């Protein structure tokens, strides 16, 4: 058995935990940036003035003969 084998495994487990945390933080940052991008894109496509359902004409309403 090597005298420093325990120390090597301890450092490996610490670096593994640090690597997982860094990876998790990176994924969270990318996910947050993507969410902000999608929200901005949706706001660009949103109508400028809100219209209620009563203001929106029905499909085929111009064919009503009542």
């Amino acid at each position: 058995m090597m005298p420093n084998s325990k120390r090597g495994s301890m450092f490996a487990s610490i670096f593994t935990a640090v690597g997982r945390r860094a990876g998790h933080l990176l994924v969270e940052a990318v996910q947050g940036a993507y969410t902000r991008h999608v929200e901005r894109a949706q706001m660009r496509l949103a109508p400028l003035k809100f219209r209620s359902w009563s203001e929106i004409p029905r499909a085929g309403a111009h064919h009503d003969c009542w």
Side-chain angles (χ1 to χ4, degrees):
M1 185 168 144
M2 297 174 66
N4 291 330
S5 64
K6 253 187 182 176
R7 181 183 293 172
S9 65
M10 180 179 70
F11 284 128
S13 64
I14 289 172
F15 287 130
T16 301
V18 169
R20 284 184 186 156
R21 182 67 183 152
H24 182 72
L25 291 174
L26 180 64
V27 168
E28 281 183 356
V30 170
Q31 199 169 26
Y34 177 74
T35 301
R36 284 189 301 275
H37 165 73
V38 168
E39 288 174 354
R40 288 181 189 144
Q42 287 174 345
M43 289 306 295
R44 281 194 301 268
L45 297 174
L48 296 177
K49 179 184 170 225
F50 176 75
R51 291 170 46 177
S52 71
W53 286 107
S54 61
E55 295 174 350
I56 299 173
R58 284 187 307 117
H62 59 282
H63 293 293
D64 286 343
C65 300
W66 299 101

